[in-house]
Amino acid sequence: MTDPTPGARALRGIGPREGLRPGLVWPAAVDPTAIDGPTRGQARGPRYRKSSFGLYVPAEVDGTGEQRIVEAAATYRAGVVTGWAGLAWLAARWFKDTERPVPLALQADEGTSAQPHLVAVTQEFLHPDEVIRLDGLRITTALRSVSFEMRHAPTVLQAAQAFAMAAYDDLVSIEELRAYCATHLPRCTGVGRVREALARLTENAWSPTEVSMAWHWKDEHPEAGLLHNCPIFDRSGRHVATVDVLDPDGGVVGEYHGGLHLAGQQRAEDVVREERLRATGLEVVVMVSPDLSDPTGFLARLDSAYERAVGRTRRWTVEQPPWWTDTSTVEARRALTGVRRERLLRYRSAA
């Protein structure tokens, strides 16, 4: 199976500093000659900060974001970045700026040292074909990284969120993960969590909160065939709205409203949008941030929306007119290139 990881090449050798992205700094050990690193006296001074045991970077280097991943990778010469950090290095937007320890894959005989604030060491078997080198770092392939994140997620819901946010940037598809799970993960820790999540994964969620909303919805109404970010059209083929979650059989729309939706111009636009949807015969139910930890109120509003939707005249359809380009799957989005891809997908970031 060919991994879809973009821009990567097979691992050759181990010089991780070579080709590091501009603006990032590889930590250096103390060097008495001051050629490859600071002298011991310089390392103690204000011009350097300690990034990890025995390694230093200039004090002005910000140790967050991608730089933090670099500093974690430097702690073990043969370590391979995986999990959320591997996905972030592959430009998965929803995994950037995560403050959790960086997962590093090591061979069982390499030994570990405790740096839990920076590194989370894993010594699971790692096949050489699952390691690539990209922009100066050794990372695991997209499939290995997302499966690691899913297998070690605290809940099945969080595993599904991890997949959805990797699929957001088209790094993995459901079928690729299904095949990978069957061939590469049959005995790995946590593979049961991946298998359980597979039946409820989506490739078209635009945020983790949408996954949570659909998850609670499906628990309450297991018969619902939910669609994420589904475009809705009137009977003339005009686009009415693209909604967070839709049950096309029940005629109910679910929208998540975070803090940005609660005031000002955005709130005014939301009111107009909801009225437009109701005018076509759809019922709208809104989830807000407190519902994420306790969905009881949302589910009660959802049940009421189903009751109101019964018997309503349907002036809407999800059948896409010929002029519309479908972008609901990883395969469809990967087929887009250049300006067309930028134009058709920029609405996701704006949303």
Side-chain angles (χ1 to χ4, degrees):
M1 178 175 60
T2 301
D3 187 270
T5 302
R9 58 189 178 87
L11 178 67
R12 295 289 185 272
I14 53 173
R17 306 184 199 195
E18 181 184 354
L20 199 63
R21 290 173 183 167
L24 301 180
V25 177
W26 187 263
V30 167
D31 180 6
T33 68
I35 296 175
D36 293 324
T39 65
R40 192 168 301 279
Q42 289 172 333
R44 295 195 187 104
R47 294 175 54 195
Y48 285 85
R49 67 171 174 85
K50 190 175 185 178
S51 63
S52 59
F53 294 151
L55 295 175
Y56 301 85
V57 295
E60 66 271 15
V61 174
D62 184 1
T64 61
E66 290 186 337
Q67 177 64 32
R68 184 167 176 267
I69 296 174
V70 170
E71 292 178 15
T75 59
Y76 296 96
R77 180 171 174 79
V80 181
V81 176
T82 190
W84 71 262
L87 295 168
W89 198 254
L90 288 166
R93 284 164 280 187
W94 282 98
F95 296 93
K96 291 182 178 293
D97 300 323
T98 302
E99 296 183 357
R100 286 181 291 151
V102 174
L104 276 188
L106 302 177
Q107 295 300 314
D109 59 353
E110 288 180 297
T112 64
S113 57
Q115 299 183 78
H117 67 289
L118 182 62
V119 176
V121 170
T122 172
Q123 294 183 309
E124 298 175 338
F125 173 75
L126 184 62
H127 194 280
D129 289 347
E130 296 178 301
V131 182
I132 58 176
R133 178 173 171 177
L134 179 67
D135 297 339
L137 286 194
R138 290 179 299 277
I139 65 172
T140 55
T141 60
L143 279 167
R144 176 72 185 205
S145 290
V146 76
S147 67
F148 178 93
E149 195 70 7
M150 294 178 71
R151 288 188 293 110
H152 293 274
T155 66
V156 180
L157 168 56
Q158 287 168 290
Q161 289 174 320
F163 170 85
M165 295 305 94
Y168 179 91
D169 283 296
D170 307 329
L171 294 177
V172 290
S173 72
I174 294 173
E175 287 310 309
E176 288 164 351
L177 179 64
R178 193 187 309 279
Y180 182 81
C181 186
T183 58
H184 288 65
L185 303 179
R187 296 181 181 86
C188 286
T189 299
V191 66
R193 180 154 294 162
V194 180
R195 291 186 180 124
E196 188 176 350
L198 272 167
R200 296 177 65 173
L201 296 182
T202 176
E203 296 181 357
N204 201 37
W206 296 356
S207 71
T209 51
E210 291 175 12
V211 180
S212 292
M213 177 166 58
W215 197 269
H216 296 308
W217 188 331
K218 193 77 171 175
D219 284 344
E220 182 78 358
H221 294 271
E223 76 288 349
L226 302 181
L227 303 175
H228 284 258
N229 292 291
C230 178
I232 295 171
F233 307 88
D234 65 20
R235 291 299 183 179
S236 300
R238 289 175 295 189
H239 181 231
V240 176
T242 296
V243 299
D244 292 347
V245 180
L246 169 69
D247 177 357
D249 292 329
V252 175
V253 165
E255 298 273 68
Y256 180 80
H257 286 182
L260 292 175
H261 289 263
L262 300 182
Q265 182 62 31
Q266 184 60 58
R267 180 57 188 153
E269 292 176 4
D270 288 340
V271 169
V272 173
R273 170 188 169 91
E274 290 171 21
E275 181 58 31
R276 193 165 63 239
L277 288 166
R278 290 190 175 102
T280 67
L282 287 159
E283 277 297 327
V284 180
V285 59
V286 173
M287 173 180 262
V288 291
S289 57
D291 296 323
L292 294 173
S293 56
D294 180 5
T296 305
F298 166 73
L299 295 176
R301 298 192 299 274
L302 179 64
D303 290 341
S304 297
Y306 271 110
E307 292 174 4
R308 293 192 302 270
V310 173
R312 294 203 64 181
T313 301
R314 298 196 173 200
R315 302 181 183 89
W316 58 274
T317 180
V318 294
E319 183 177 345
Q320 298 177 1
W323 58 268
W324 187 268
T325 300
D326 179 53
T327 58
S328 62
T329 66
V330 169
E331 182 181 11
R333 294 192 295 270
R334 285 178 182 167
L336 302 172
T337 58
V339 174
R340 191 160 182 260
R341 177 180 175 85
E342 181 180 352
R343 178 175 62 84
L344 291 175
L345 299 186
R346 66 171 177 241
Y347 61 86
R348 298 193 305 165
S349 297

